[in-house]
Structure formats: structure tokens, C-alpha cells
Amino acid sequence: MPELPEVEVVRRGLERGVVGRVIREVEVSHPRAVRRHVAGAADFRSLLVGRRIIAANRRGKYLWLALCPEPAAGEHTSTGAGDALIAHLGMSGQLLVVPSGSPDQKHLRVRFVFADEGRELRFVDQRTFGGLAIDVGGAQLPAPIAHIARDPLDPAFDEDAVIGRLRRRRTGIKRALLDQTLLSGVGNIYADEALWAARLHYARPTETMNRPEIRRLLVEVRAVMAAALDAGGTSFDRLYVSTEGVSGLFERSLEVYGRAGQPCGRCGGTIRRDAFMNRSSFTCPICQPPPRHPRW
DNA sequence: TAAAATACCTGCAGGC
DNA sequence: TGCCTGCAGGTATTTT
């Protein structure tokens, strides 16, 4: 599932594969893929044809391609300054840069053809939780994602401010980690991995945590994300791949996620799976004992 | 106002 | 073989 490291791998692939190129044609084959573009698929297409991509950016798990304010010569009318093509991969979205003419993927939703007739950009999404949209004038930071907090790998991440906000919450620590308005980029996999590394149970009430404890947790969040980034991300069932279609290798390094019934690599305890927020949490019951007064 | 619950989706595994 | 159920989970929306 794409979390911050996976999305960053994709962003780097887009930087290599599509930045600097002019879009010649856009085919939307599944309207749900552009449902967040309320003006519809035809408008989506008309805003993109003739535009040059000038940057590939990321905030948390959102990506956006900044578009040149001026259209390419002889092509479409400009819509004004710096629009943005926003992308979210959801659970199963892929942005692939592939040779034009290569066979369509089963769940191909949107195809981008470029004026240079080189490789195509394809948005492929099995479960259609992801999607694309245009934000007019949003090249710097699109309005629909302005509420997303900075991630722990962002140089402008304000750790002291995040610790303060986290301690004012009245909820469980994992819920807080997954709240993208508090800090972004953390999903179910890396939340479980970082909590294991910090020896914290997911139901630990945030208001009982002191500053050094939260700081130590954020160190582990950063460490697990950086290691995953080095490995090219985590892939399950090939639902996450890079823009070149390559799976990540971090699954081999997971300590708890998806390892219910197996021994903890630190203490030998048996890793357990609990239902949590309509999904799963994996913990070592010895390294991560539940708190006396849990907040789920 | 904050926190929690729910809806949105498809493919697959497992049980019967 | 075919049907059914549960599960995967990020985000927006609704409810408490």
C-alpha cells in the first residue's frame, strides 16, 4: 500500500520520466478516476492538453505535477498561472511511465500521451480509491491538499509544534499517527513498525506521553521511512510498484506488520494481530504491552 | 469542536 | 464449481 516512501519513489520516477514534457492527449477510461475533478472528465482533459509539466511535487501521500502557466506554442489556451495535476494513489493506484503501444493494463484508468511521442504516463488503479484532479492556480500548493501536514522527512517539519499538538489530543497514539492533518505520510504499515521500534502500544493515550517519548517515536518513524525509501518501498501483491513497474523490497524488513503468529525479532514473543479502525494492528505483546487505560 | 464511525471500491482467499 | 463472506486500508463525509 502506498505510504510516504512509496509515494516518494513514484515522485522521483515522475521527475525522471515526465517533467519537461508537453501533454498531447489525455484519455479517461474510467470516470471514477477523476471524480475529485468536479467539472468532469472532458474539462479535466481540456485543462491538460498542450500543457508542459515543470515539476513533480509531494505533500504527505499526495503528489502533484506543476504545469507551466503558458501553453506550448500553437496549442491550447492558457488557463492562467501554474495549475496543478493532483494525484493520490489510494490503496492500489500506480503511475507508470511505459513505452507507448505497450499492452494496456487491466485496470488502466487514465492515459497521458506526450507531444514528443516518447513513453506514456498511465494511471492504473485496481480498487479506484485513488484519483486525479486539476487545481487551477495550485502549482505551488494545491488548495485541496493545503490541510495536509508536513511529513517527518520534510526539512520544514516543525517537530516541537507537532509534539505539542499531539500531546493536546485525547486519543490513542496510532490514531494520532494516522491523522494526516497532524503529521503526514504515515499509514498502517509504518505506524505499526515505528510503534514496535519505540516499544509503544498503539492504544497508548497521547495525553499520557511526555515530550521525550514522542520525540523518540518520531525518530523511529523517520528511521523506518528512510529505510523503506532506501529499499524502494513496501510491496504487497504487486499493488505498489514504481513508475518503472518495479516492486519495493522493504516487505522483507518488516518486523511486525503482516507477521501475526511469528516470533518477534527482538524478544521472541509471538506477534499478534488486533482489529483496529476497520483494519489491523500488529504488535509484540511482550515488547509493547497494552497500557492500563487504553484509548482505542 | 474533537473524536469516532462509516462509505467508498475490487480482487482474492477460504469456507461450505 | 460456484456462491458467500471477510479482508486489505487512505480519505472524505457523517455522526456522536
Side-chain angles (χ1 to χ4, degrees), chain A residues 18-215:
Chain A
V18 302
V19 168
R21 303 174 69 194
V22 175
I23 299 169
R24 191 188 78 203
E25 187 50 83
V26 178
E27 296 171 20
V28 177
S29 50
H30 196 304
R32 191 175 150 74
V34 295
R35 67 192 180 284
R36 289 176 191 160
H37 189 79
V38 291
D43 186 73
F44 178 83
R45 177 193 166 280
S46 72
L47 287 172
L48 288 171
V49 170
R51 308 296 295 280
R52 184 183 298 276
I53 297 168
I54 56 173
N57 301 311
R58 181 182 62 77
R59 171 66 69 92
K61 301 169 198 168
Y62 280 91
L63 292 163
W64 76 94
L65 296 174
L67 304 171
C68 184
E70 296 302 323
E75 299 189 40
H76 214 269
T77 306
S78 172
T79 58
D83 302 339
L85 168 57
I86 305 169
H88 196 290
L89 302 179
M91 285 176 64
S92 55
Q94 301 174 351
L95 282 165
L96 304 173
V97 181
V98 298
S100 53
S102 57
D104 286 355
Q105 290 74 10
K106 184 177 178 184
H107 303 290
L108 173 63
R109 311 302 189 192
V110 184
R111 182 202 317 273
F112 300 83
V113 179
F114 292 90
D116 57 24
E117 299 183 346
R119 293 190 297 168
E120 297 178 358
L121 174 63
R122 295 181 185 175
F123 179 64
V124 175
D125 192 3
Q126 177 195 99
R127 295 177 193 166
T128 65
F129 271 37
L132 309 176
I134 309 290
D135 184 46
V136 173
Q140 290 297 314
L141 177 63
I145 61 179
H147 66 288
I148 302 293
R150 292 187 184 273
D151 64 69
L153 298 183
D154 188 326
F157 182 76
D158 186 343
E159 183 162 300
D160 288 333
V162 170
I163 291 172
R165 290 183 63 200
L166 220 147
R167 293 186 68 212
R168 287 192 291 275
R169 289 292 177 96
R170 294 289 179 272
T171 188
I173 184 61
K174 184 171 175 182
R175 278 185 185 274
L177 281 181
L178 295 176
D179 183 343
Q180 304 296 302
T181 66
L182 198 56
L183 74 167
S184 69
V186 183
N188 203 39
I189 298 172
Y190 299 123
D192 279 3
E193 292 297 308
L195 287 166
W196 176 85
R199 298 173 187 261
L200 290 169
H201 191 273
Y202 59 86
R204 174 76 181 272
T206 47
E207 70 270 26
T208 68
M209 295 182 69
N210 59 35
R211 284 184 170 269
E213 279 181 305
I214 298 175
R215 204 176 296 279

Side-chain angles (χ1 to χ4, degrees), chain A residues 187-293:
Chain A
N188 203 39
I189 298 172
Y190 299 123
D192 279 3
E193 292 297 308
L195 287 166
W196 176 85
R199 298 173 187 261
L200 290 169
H201 191 273
Y202 59 86
R204 174 76 181 272
T206 47
E207 70 270 26
T208 68
M209 295 182 69
N210 59 35
R211 284 184 170 269
E213 279 181 305
I214 298 175
R215 204 176 296 279
R216 187 162 50 85
L217 174 59
L218 291 176
V219 166
E220 300 297 352
V221 168
R222 265 193 214 96
V224 71
M225 284 183 167
L229 195 51
D230 283 345
T234 303
S235 301
F236 292 102
D237 304 328
R238 290 190 62 81
L239 282 181
Y240 156 73
V241 293
S242 70
T243 53
E244 286 81 30
V246 178
S247 295
L249 300 175
F250 193 68
E251 184 182 359
R252 298 174 190 175
S253 308
L254 295 176
E255 298 285 355
V256 284
Y257 184 87
R259 296 191 63 238
Q262 298 179 44
C264 168
R266 189 164 49 200
C267 73
T270 303
I271 292 165
R272 56 176 289 165
R273 170 189 172 276
D274 297 322
F276 173 83
M277 290 175 72
N278 288 329
R279 56 208 65 189
S280 298
S281 271
F282 296 89
T283 55
C284 168
I286 297 173
C287 298
Q288 302 167 271
R292 189 169 298 176
H293 302 292

